[in-house]
């Protein structure tokens, strides 16, 4: 627990540093001109104690300052006023704040020193946003709608580019823009750069309006995938512009179309290759857990840069890298690394998104770039708006003929309205060559106006529009096992019915792919161990149980201290409840009176789950794990205070490469030794014969309590500790589970018959050891009793947790242990236990 | 269109069938062809063995149950009418089709689709999915990786989620309620049957 928090903190710091380095270019290039003269070595008269060396640190310092300012901007925007933020989209507010910041800089320098440079944007700000988006892509949704997304991305973008370019040219020829030095090809080039819907803007606006997932994936997928088209169109038309009109013949045009295929599919293919590489890498990073999360960034960035180098679509490359690797990376890496990765991705993406919008605002405050041409600007806005609507409706009309669930008219309206343009368009416009395109500045200013118009105006009106049109929102689906189970069943049913109909349908392909994936791809890319534990339904079940456990703990804390855990009274109730659930079939009556209790708990846990659910499909950069973080802290606190501490040798916490201290061999050794000692002592006491039983009777109550405490202290106690510890859905439970079994088998390996009875219950009946515990100072006793927690957990949600996923075999062990123990204990003991049951 | 009509004419009561199921003549013909292909001996009805001959179906974990759903209790055969009626469950709901106010509920309505799914679980036809019945389905669908105890706890939890009256079984009403948020029209429809 502690380690995972530290881990996150450390990595956050680390990654912030990286961000800073990455954003190096934001302002650096500009500053060099600003301060050309270095006054480093002026006449030194003596040994300076403190020297002021601004130029030494200038570039990184400015970058850090801007990152800091952008973060503050975000903070202030968020904290500003919840009325404002509920109306205004954050992205729009950041741009407006950028205006102010730009104004300040301009006011001070009388020239815009800082602006968003295309190279900075494309190399340092964009990749992590795309990586984040693709890594968190709801894969099933994405691939099941891939056809529609591709249609929108390819044909929609081409349509937009062509119609906007041609219409503008038509208007220009008709004289609507006055006198400009611009031809048909330049108009088409402009059309192609302004055509593409921008992923950054779309994520930023749509994450705040939770529209239904299909609509979201259509808009969002389009915005991601249309990059291939945009890049190609842009490159082709730029080449054409450079070639000049007369040089273009049919061969060149066909070459242009061919480039499209190469660029788009080549980029995607490259992404897949890197995804495979990444998955293979994470297969064998077991021993360098601390940096394995970094591979995702590095390999993802490599995919991006390689594609850029080969002049393929870089965005497509990194998109497919993220989409394809997510499953295997998640399965292969340690749970903590995954948490780190998720947080770091969100951190980077959120950070650069903020930077992008702030700088989009700052860039505007510059007299140099502004060239106003009312006709051109207004017509551009008009055309992109109109043609987007026409394009969407046209394509959807065609798509709906084939879709199982047609896209509704309202959704189409939102889709057309969601055609936001953003920094990608600006970056492309800023990259234009001034020599061949004399009206570059007009294009930049028009692009900026379009960006402001779409992000701010359409962004603001998006929410009211969605509400007014009553667009189907994303259902806040709390995870339900029965739904997942039935979804799986429905898949099978559909596949079967397709087989019966003898037609190859969608499900046939899905199923064929799944089978192929399971048999070959998983085998290649996944750790054998991960392959075993990845049954879908089962993982859901596991997740639900963890959620319950965490909820229970946080509820307990909310209601006041966890004192109830320590009270002796509770222990007896625990005992009863626990055994009640374990012997459910033997003692139905106990179950009956438990049910009323259970009902109350049920309500509690359900509501508290509902209270803070995050919609299942939301690429919300912000909402990531907010809840989990909170739960983490709660559980952390709880465990820190009360967990049974073994006397193991703590590995030093300042070790750079190891955080985990719980799974060390030393601990296994430790527990083994303890077990052996208790066994030895019980062996000694066994020599005293009947004595033992008598003593048990005497210390009956304490014995029971300790049976709870000690019986589970090594096993379940740890297990639960680990479970809660890794509240984010960790697999460590499994690890410690198997480790538990190891322990038992260690005992079973010894064949001395004298040991055998105790072997099954290594700590239970070890009276001398118990006595020893009694003698220890009270504070230590309190610590030792903590393992009651699991029992309480079990009691509160008996059905749901009792045979909790990972430890169910363990539970079986324990229950069989207790059964055997019952048989072995003397009759008196039986009699003693009975009343407690009643 | 001559061949179309002649095929249609061979099927008795084809109008009634189309009325009930909402299938177009093209669908009926296609399904009839398929029916004949499955009915290798040309008996005019299908046995469970005929379904079992479909290779892919044999690999479906709940394939047996789905085959079973085609046969009404106590019967060993299914004729073309019944066959089409079962398949009609999976026809997507078309919103454009005018709704006649007093027409019976179409076969492909949400609740009928759900009923179809429900009866796959409810093998003893007592209107309730008991724990054992659920366990059987789970066992079929979850495969080897999950231990028996885990299966049982999953079953318990699933029942608990849906079980409103605490009788340790899921009635159809509870089943329907628990799947309220699932888009059944989407999940239980096949595109080419539209």
């Amino acid at each position: 627990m502690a380690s995972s928090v530290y881990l996150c903190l450390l990595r956050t710091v680390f990654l912030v540093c990286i961000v800073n380095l990455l954003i190096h270019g934001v302002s650096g290039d500009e500053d060099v001109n600003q301060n050309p003269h270095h006054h480093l070595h002026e006449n030194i008269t003596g040994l300076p104690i403190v020297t002021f060396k601004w130029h030494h640190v200038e570039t990184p310092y400015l970058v850090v300052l801007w990152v800091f300012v952008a973060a503050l901007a975000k903070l202030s925007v968020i904290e500003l006023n919840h009325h404002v933020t509920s109306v205004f989209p954050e992205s729009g507010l950041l741009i407006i704040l950028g205006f102010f910041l730009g104004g300040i800089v301009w006011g001070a320098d009388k020239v815009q020193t800082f602006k968003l440079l295309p190279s900075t944007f494309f190399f340092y700000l964009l990749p992590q946003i795309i990586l984040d988006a693709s890594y968190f892509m709801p894969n099933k949704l994405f691939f099941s709608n891939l056809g529609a997304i591709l249609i929108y991305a390819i044909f929609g973008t081409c349509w937009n580019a062509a119609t906007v370019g041609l219409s503008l040219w038509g208007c220009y020829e008709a004289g609507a823009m006055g006198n400009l030095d611009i031809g048909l090809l330049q108009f088409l080039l402009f059309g192609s750069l302004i055509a593409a819907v921008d992923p950054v803007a779309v994520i930023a606006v749509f994450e705040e309006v939770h529209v239904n997932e299909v609509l979201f994936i259509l808009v969002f997928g389009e915005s991601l995938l249309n990059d291939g088209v945009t890049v190609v169109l842009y490159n082709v038309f730029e080449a054409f512009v450079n070639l000049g009109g007369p040089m273009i013949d049919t061969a060149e045009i066909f070459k242009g179309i061919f480039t499209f295929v190469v660029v788009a599919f080549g980029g995607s293919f490259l992404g897949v290759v890197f995804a495979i590489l990444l998955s293979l890498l994470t297969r064998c990073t077991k021993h360098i857990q601390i940096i394995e999360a970094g591979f995702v960034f590095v390999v993802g960035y490599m995919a991006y840069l390689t594609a850029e180098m080969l002049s393929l679509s870089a965005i497509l490359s990194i998109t497919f890298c993220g989409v394809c690797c997510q499953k295997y990376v998640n399965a292969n890496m340690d749970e903590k690394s995954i948490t780190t990765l998720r947080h770091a991705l969100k951190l980077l993406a959120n950070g650069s998104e903020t930077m992008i919008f702030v700088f989009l605002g700052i860039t505007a405050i510059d007299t140099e770039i502004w060239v106003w041409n009312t006709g051109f600007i207004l017509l551009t806005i008009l055309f992109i708006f109109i043609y987007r609507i026409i394009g969407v409706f046209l394509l959807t009309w065609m798509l709906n003929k084939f879709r199982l669930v047609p896209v509704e008219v309202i959704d189409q309206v939102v889709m057309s309205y969601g055609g936001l343009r953003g920094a990608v368009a600006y970056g492309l416009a800023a990259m234009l060559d001034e020599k061949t395109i004399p009206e570059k500045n007009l294009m930049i200013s028009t692009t900026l106006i379009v960006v402001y118009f779409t992000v701010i105006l359409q962004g603001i009106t998006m929410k009211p529009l969605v509400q007014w049109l009553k667009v189907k929102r994303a259902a806040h689906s709390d995870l339900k096992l029965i739904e997942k189970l039935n979804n799986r069943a429905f898949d099978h049913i559909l596949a079967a019915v397709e087989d019966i109909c003898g037609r190859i349908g969608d499900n046939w392909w899905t199923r064929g792919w799944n089978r192929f994936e399971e048999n070959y791809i998983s085998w290649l890319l996944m750790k054998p161990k991960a392959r075993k534990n990845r049954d879908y339904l089962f993982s859901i079940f596991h997740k639900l149980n963890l959620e319950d456990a965490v909820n229970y703990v946080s509820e307990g804390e909310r209601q006041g201290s966890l004192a109830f855990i320590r009270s002796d009274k509770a222990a007896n109730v625990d005992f009863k409840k626990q055994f009640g659930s374990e012997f459910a079939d033997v003692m139905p009556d106990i179950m009956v009176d438990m049910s009323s209790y259970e009902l109350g708990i049920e309500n509690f846990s359900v509501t508290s789950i509902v209270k803070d659910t995050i919609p299942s499909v939301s690429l919300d950069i912000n909402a990531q794990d907010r809840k989990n973080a909170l739960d983490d802290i709660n559980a952390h606190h709880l465990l820190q205070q009360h967990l049974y501490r073994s006397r193991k040798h703590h590995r030093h916490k300042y070790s750079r490469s190891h955080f985990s201290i719980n799974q060390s061999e030393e601990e296994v050794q430790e527990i083994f030794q303890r077990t052996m000692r208790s066994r030895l002592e019980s062996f000694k006491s066994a020599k005293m014969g009947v004595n033992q039983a008598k003593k048990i009777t005497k210390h009956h109550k304490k014995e029971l309590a300790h049976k709870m405490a000690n019986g589970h202290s090594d096993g379940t106690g740890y297990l639960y500790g680990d479970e809660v510890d890794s509240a984010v859905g960790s697999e460590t439970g499994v690890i410690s589970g198997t480790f538990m079994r190891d322990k038992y088998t260690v005992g079973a390996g010894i064949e001395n018959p004298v040991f055998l009875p105790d072997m099954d219950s290594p700590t239970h009946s070890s009276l001398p050891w118990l006595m020893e515990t009694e003698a220890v100072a009270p504070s230590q006793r309190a610590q030792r009793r903590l393992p009651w927690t699991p029992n309480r957990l079990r009691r509160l949600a008996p059905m749901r947790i009792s045979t909790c996923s990972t430890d169910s075999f363990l539970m079986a062990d324990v229950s069989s242990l207790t059964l055997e123990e019952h048989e072995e204990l003397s009759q008196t003991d039986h009699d003693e236990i009975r009343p407690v049951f009643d | 269109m001559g061949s179309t009509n002649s095929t249609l004419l061979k099927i008795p009561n084809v109008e009634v069938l189309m009325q009930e199921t909402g299938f177009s003549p093209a669908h009926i013909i296609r399904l009839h062809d398929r029916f004949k292909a499955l009915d290798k001996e040309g008996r005019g009805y299908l046995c469970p063995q005929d379904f079992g001959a479909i290779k892919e179906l044999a690999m479906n974990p709940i394939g047996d149950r789905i085959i079973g759903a085609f046969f009404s209790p106590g019967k060993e055969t299914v004729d073309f009418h019944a066959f089409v009626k079962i398949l009609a469950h999976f026809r997507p709901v078309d919103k454009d089709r005018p709704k006649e106010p007093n027409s019976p509920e179409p076969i492909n309505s949400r609740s009928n689709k759900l009923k179809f799914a429900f009866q796959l679980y409810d093998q003893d036809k007592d209107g309730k999915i008991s724990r054992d019945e659920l366990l059987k389905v789970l066992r079929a669908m979850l495969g080897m990786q999950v231990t028996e105890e885990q299966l049982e706890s999953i079953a318990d939890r699933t029942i608990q989620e849906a079980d409103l009256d605490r009788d340790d079984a899921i009635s159809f009403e509870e089943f329907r309620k628990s799947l309220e948020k699932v888009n059944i029209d989407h999940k239980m429809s096949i595109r080419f049957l539209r």
Side-chain angles (χ1 to χ4, degrees):
Chain A
M1 188 63 236
S3 56
S4 92
V5 168
Y6 288 132
L7 190 86
C8 290
L9 274 177
L10 274 177
R11 290 202 187 162
T12 309
V13 171
F14 174 69
L15 285 162
V16 165
C17 297
I18 296 250
V19 172
N20 299 343
L21 290 178
L22 287 184
I23 301 169
H24 207 263
V26 170
S27 49
D29 300 348
E30 295 296 307
D31 306 323
V32 180
N33 329 342
Q34 198 195 350
N35 288 303
H37 30 105
H38 290 237
H39 328 256
L40 271 181
H41 302 288
E42 285 170 6
N43 30 351
I44 300 166
T45 49
L47 182 69
I49 295 176
V50 176
T51 45
F52 184 72
K53 294 196 284 185
W54 164 245
H55 298 290
H56 187 57
V57 294
E58 183 180 332
T59 312
Y61 205 93
L62 279 174
V63 175
V64 174
L65 264 185
W66 272 117
V67 172
F68 182 65
V69 168
L72 279 187
K74 175 128 186 157
L75 182 72
S76 57
V77 160
I78 295 284
E79 294 297 325
L80 185 63
N81 188 337
H82 291 287
H83 290 294
V84 179
T85 39
S86 65
V87 179
F88 257 71
E90 204 185 297
S91 45
L93 281 176
L94 284 173
I95 289 183
I96 292 169
L97 210 84
F99 291 157
F100 288 117
L101 288 174
I104 294 170
V105 174
W106 194 79
D109 288 2
K110 296 295 171 213
V111 63
Q112 190 49 268
T113 328
F114 305 98
K115 61 182 174 192
L116 189 60
L117 297 172
S119 60
T120 315
F121 171 70
F122 282 112
F123 283 147
Y124 305 119
L125 293 175
L126 188 59
Q128 55 265 41
I129 297 183
I130 306 293
L131 185 65
D132 168 80
S134 57
Y135 187 79
F136 289 97
M137 179 77 78
N139 262 356
K140 198 180 171 202
L141 199 61
F142 177 70
F143 282 111
S144 58
N145 289 297
L146 189 60
I149 291 172
L150 283 176
I151 298 268
Y152 286 124
I154 297 172
F155 295 106
T157 310
C158 287
W159 159 267
N160 280 347
T163 48
V164 171
L166 287 175
S167 309
L168 281 176
W169 180 67
C171 292
Y172 168 66
E173 290 290 300
M177 303 170 195
N179 199 12
L180 289 176
D181 183 9
I182 199 164
L184 172 60
L185 283 173
Q186 276 96 327
F187 271 117
L188 285 172
L189 176 59
F190 178 69
S192 64
L193 73 84
I194 205 85
V197 177
D198 183 71
V200 184
V202 165
I203 303 171
V205 168
F206 270 74
E207 76 180 14
E208 291 176 32
V209 271
H210 297 280
V211 293
N212 63 69
E213 45 189 40
V214 174
L215 176 57
F216 179 77
I217 204 79
L218 285 180
V219 180
F220 178 57
E222 179 198 345
S223 71
L224 272 182
L225 297 194
N226 67 14
D227 171 71
V229 184
T230 316
V231 168
V232 174
L233 284 179
Y234 180 82
N235 288 341
V236 166
F237 282 118
E238 203 182 23
F240 283 177
V241 168
N242 289 336
L243 273 176
M247 297 283 287
I248 301 164
D249 51 11
T250 15
E252 295 295 327
I253 292 173
F254 273 105
K255 259 160 84 184
I257 295 172
F258 183 66
T259 350
F260 163 70
V261 180
V262 172
V263 167
F265 287 89
S268 317
F269 178 73
L270 200 69
V272 175
V273 169
F274 273 97
I276 293 173
L277 180 75
L278 181 56
S279 311
L280 284 175
L281 253 178
T282 50
R283 255 188 85 149
C284 41
T285 48
K286 196 176 149 203
H287 299 292
I288 46 163
Q289 257 176 31
I290 223 76
I291 62 162
E292 66 183 352
F295 280 122
V296 178
F297 296 97
V298 175
V299 176
Y301 198 46
M302 261 160 67
Y304 187 87
L305 289 180
T306 314
E308 194 70 46
M309 180 177 74
L310 299 173
S311 71
L312 303 173
S313 167
I315 295 189
L316 278 182
S317 174
I318 200 170
T319 302
F320 276 90
C321 182
V323 166
C324 296
C325 78
Q326 53 168 265
K327 178 175 177 185
Y328 309 105
V329 166
N330 280 341
N332 284 344
M333 289 201 317
D334 185 69
E335 196 67 37
K336 283 172 190 156
S337 308
I338 292 168
T339 315
T340 313
L341 176 63
R342 295 160 88 190
H343 285 277
L345 270 175
K346 290 293 173 198
L347 168 79
L348 284 176
N350 220 328
S352 21
E353 192 196 75
T354 312
M355 298 284 295
I356 287 171
F357 284 121
V358 169
F359 271 91
L360 269 181
I362 291 176
T363 314
I365 313 297
D366 188 2
T367 43
E368 276 176 30
I369 58 162
W370 285 109
V371 179
W372 191 266
N373 182 322
T374 320
F376 188 81
I377 291 170
L378 286 185
L379 281 172
T380 307
I381 293 179
L382 182 73
F383 285 140
I384 61 160
F385 195 68
I386 289 178
Y387 287 120
R388 167 84 185 168
I389 295 176
I390 296 177
V392 165
F393 273 80
L394 210 67
L395 291 172
T396 320
W397 175 74
M398 286 193 281
L399 276 172
N400 272 351
K401 299 199 156 189
F402 302 101
R403 279 181 72 84
L404 175 65
V405 184
V407 181
E408 285 168 31
V409 180
I410 295 173
D411 288 1
Q412 294 176 39
V413 173
V414 176
M415 272 190 75
S416 351
Y417 202 69
L420 307 173
R421 270 56 166 191
V424 173
Y426 168 75
L428 290 175
M431 281 200 317
L432 289 174
D433 185 3
E434 216 158 338
K435 282 175 210 138
T436 47
I437 299 148
E439 299 292 348
K440 178 187 173 186
N441 277 342
L442 175 61
M443 289 189 182
I444 293 184
S445 35
T446 311
T447 311
L448 279 177
I449 298 271
V450 168
V451 170
Y452 299 147
F453 178 81
T454 52
V455 171
I456 300 178
L457 278 183
Q458 286 182 221
I460 293 171
T461 41
M462 181 64 84
K463 217 178 218 173
L465 182 80
V466 165
Q467 275 159 358
W468 181 63
L469 288 174
K470 297 198 177 64
V471 175
K472 230 191 266 166
R473 299 299 192 91
H476 280 249
S477 61
D478 35 333
L479 211 54
K480 269 174 96 180
L481 208 53
I482 189 161
E483 285 178 5
K484 300 292 170 191
L485 170 68
N486 275 302
N487 283 346
R488 182 63 69 90
F490 293 151
D491 288 347
H492 285 307
I493 293 170
L494 286 193
V497 171
E498 275 185 358
D499 292 334
I500 289 170
C501 293
R503 286 279 307 262
I504 293 176
D506 313 323
N507 296 290
W508 189 86
W509 290 107
T510 322
R511 193 179 37 168
W513 164 254
N514 284 343
R515 199 170 292 154
F516 175 72
E517 201 265 351
E518 212 157 289
N519 289 342
Y520 301 103
I521 302 185
S522 297
W523 172 80
L524 180 69
L525 300 181
M526 250 187 222
K527 279 184 196 169
K529 210 180 118 225
R531 271 206 303 281
K532 268 182 203 148
N533 318 319
R534 72 191 179 91
D535 191 279
Y536 177 66
L537 277 175
F538 187 73
S539 64
I540 300 274
F541 176 67
H542 180 65
K543 220 186 266 174
L544 284 169
N545 279 331
L546 282 178
E547 207 165 74
D548 281 358
V550 169
N551 271 327
Y552 165 68
V553 171
S554 51
E555 179 69 5
E557 282 204 328
R558 202 173 56 75
Q559 286 174 348
S561 71
L562 288 162
F564 60 87
I565 282 172
R566 292 191 209 169
S567 77
D568 271 336
K569 230 179 190 176
N572 281 335
V573 182
D574 279 349
F575 185 75
K576 178 164 130 188
K577 294 293 185 190
Q578 188 223 345
F579 277 71
S581 62
E582 275 179 18
F583 300 119
D585 20 33
V586 191
M587 283 177 285
D589 49 336
I590 289 184
M591 291 302 291
V592 168
D593 55 24
M594 274 171 61
S595 60
S596 58
Y597 191 56
E598 198 185 314
L599 192 70
I601 299 310
E602 265 312 294
N603 293 341
F604 137 66
S605 76
V606 166
T607 45
S608 75
I609 290 173
V610 170
K611 193 179 63 199
D612 41 20
T613 27
I614 301 164
S616 60
V617 185
S618 134
L619 293 187
D620 188 343
I621 294 188
N622 307 295
Q624 155 68 21
D625 284 341
R626 211 176 271 153
K627 183 181 71 167
N628 279 345
L630 194 74
D631 293 341
D632 265 4
I633 293 165
N634 285 343
H636 169 75
H637 175 70
L638 178 79
L639 289 171
Q640 184 79 353
Q641 296 225 314
H642 303 291
L643 199 64
Y644 172 21
R645 292 188 185 107
S646 74
R647 296 160 303 141
K648 66 175 176 268
H649 310 287
H650 282 272
R651 196 188 282 270
H652 297 300
K653 282 199 173 164
Y654 49 78
S655 160
R656 186 176 295 150
S657 52
H658 291 280
F659 278 110
S660 57
I661 39 175
N662 267 348
Q663 293 139 26
S664 62
E665 280 176 36
E666 287 164 30
E667 184 178 303
V668 180
Q669 193 72 16
E670 164 72 27
I671 290 176
F672 174 71
Q673 278 169 5
R674 185 181 304 148
T675 322
M676 287 312 287
R677 194 185 57 157
S678 73
R679 202 169 285 149
L680 211 74
E681 274 163 1
S682 70
F683 172 64
K684 273 184 220 156
S685 67
K687 281 183 178 170
M688 292 184 267
V690 218
N691 241 352
Q692 191 187 0
K694 267 184 189 168
K695 271 183 188 169
I696 287 174
T697 341
K698 208 163 98 195
H699 291 273
H700 167 63
K701 283 229 157 156
K702 277 170 194 163
E703 163 71 8
L704 282 184
H706 277 280
K707 203 179 280 170
M708 298 310 302
N710 302 324
H712 296 284
S713 59
D714 293 346
T716 334
Y718 264 120
L719 188 67
Y720 268 90
D722 277 350
E723 292 254 45
V724 183
D725 180 354
S726 44
V728 214
S730 137
E731 302 288 323
T732 27
V734 179
I735 296 166
S736 58
T738 42
F739 144 70
M740 266 305 297
R741 281 204 298 197
D742 286 350
K743 199 194 81 184
Y744 278 118
T745 40
V746 163
I750 302 163
E751 288 187 355
N752 188 339
V754 191
F755 282 129
L756 280 177
D758 286 333
M759 217 59 73
D760 291 322
S761 48
T763 47
H764 286 202
S765 46
S766 54
L767 196 67
W769 180 71
L770 261 184
M771 297 301 283
E772 199 177 277
T773 326
E774 294 298 304
V776 184
S779 65
Q780 282 231 341
R781 267 178 59 201
Q783 280 180 5
R784 299 223 158 186
R785 283 193 192 167
L786 179 85
W788 293 341
T789 325
N791 310 318
R792 289 282 299 188
L793 278 172
R794 195 167 296 138
R795 175 173 70 106
L796 282 165
M799 302 292 282
R800 309 180 90 177
I801 293 184
S802 65
T803 32
C804 167
S805 54
T806 40
D807 67 335
S808 62
F809 50 80
L810 187 73
M811 287 307 305
D813 277 359
V814 171
S815 62
S816 65
L817 276 183
T818 13
L819 273 172
E820 278 159 13
E821 188 195 3
H822 274 230
E823 284 161 13
E824 278 152 18
L825 282 179
S826 60
Q827 185 60 40
T828 33
D829 199 34
H830 259 281
D831 293 336
E832 290 297 329
I833 289 174
R834 279 273 156 68
V836 189
F837 277 142
D838 303 333
Chain B
M1 290 304 278
S3 66
T4 311
N5 278 329
S6 62
T7 323
L8 272 184
L9 287 175
K10 270 187 252 161
I11 307 164
N13 289 331
V14 70
E15 279 81 18
V16 182
L17 190 60
M18 275 159 58
Q19 183 76 36
E20 280 177 13
T21 59
F23 278 132
S24 69
H27 280 128
I28 298 278
I29 289 166
R30 194 173 292 146
L31 292 176
H32 193 248
D33 288 346
R34 180 63 180 168
F35 185 80
K36 280 193 293 189
L38 289 177
D39 180 19
K40 288 194 187 70
E41 292 156 36
R43 293 165 299 192
Y45 55 82
L46 296 177
C47 301
Q49 290 80 8
D50 293 323
F51 286 104
I54 304 171
K55 199 174 90 238
E56 293 287 322
L57 201 52
M59 287 158 78
N60 195 316
I62 52 172
D64 288 344
R65 285 162 185 269
I66 293 158
I67 295 174
F70 277 83
F71 299 92
S72 42
K75 270 187 157 179
E76 283 297 297
T77 60
V78 56
D79 63 358
F80 182 62
H81 271 246
F83 179 72
V84 173
K85 270 189 203 161
I86 297 289
L87 291 181
H89 283 102
F90 299 94
R91 199 167 61 83
V93 182
D94 36 349
K95 290 182 181 113
D96 310 334
R97 193 170 292 223
K99 250 192 184 168
E100 291 148 43
N102 49 359
S103 64
E105 202 185 359
I107 298 181
N108 62 351
S109 72
R110 181 189 160 89
S111 94
N112 275 334
K113 281 175 196 279
L114 272 177
K115 250 177 213 151
F116 185 87
F118 184 79
Q119 56 157 355
L120 292 184
Y121 293 95
D122 183 23
Q123 292 287 292
D124 61 2
K125 310 266 178 258
D126 64 347
K128 276 182 177 174
I129 303 174
S130 67
R131 186 170 175 274
D132 277 344
E133 283 167 343
L134 185 64
L135 258 181
K136 274 183 197 141
V137 178
L138 275 172
R139 204 171 291 139
M141 292 207 320
L142 275 173
M144 297 296 117
Q145 303 148 4
V146 183
T147 65
E148 192 63 28
E149 288 89 357
Q150 290 169 333
L151 270 182
E152 277 175 27
S153 51
I154 292 179
D156 283 340
R157 176 150 188 165
T158 311
I159 288 186
Q160 197 199 5
E161 275 180 356
D163 191 12
L164 299 174
D165 56 5
R166 313 227 151 250
D167 60 348
D168 232 6
I170 304 174
S171 68
F172 180 66
E173 198 53 31
E174 289 163 350
F175 186 72
R176 200 173 55 77
K177 279 223 176 84
S178 67
L179 294 179
E180 222 153 33
K181 281 186 188 151
V182 180
N183 188 350
I184 301 294
D185 290 341
H186 188 172
K187 294 247 158 74
M188 285 280 279
S189 297
I190 292 178
R191 205 169 51 159
F192 62 72
L193 290 180
R194 184 145 79 132

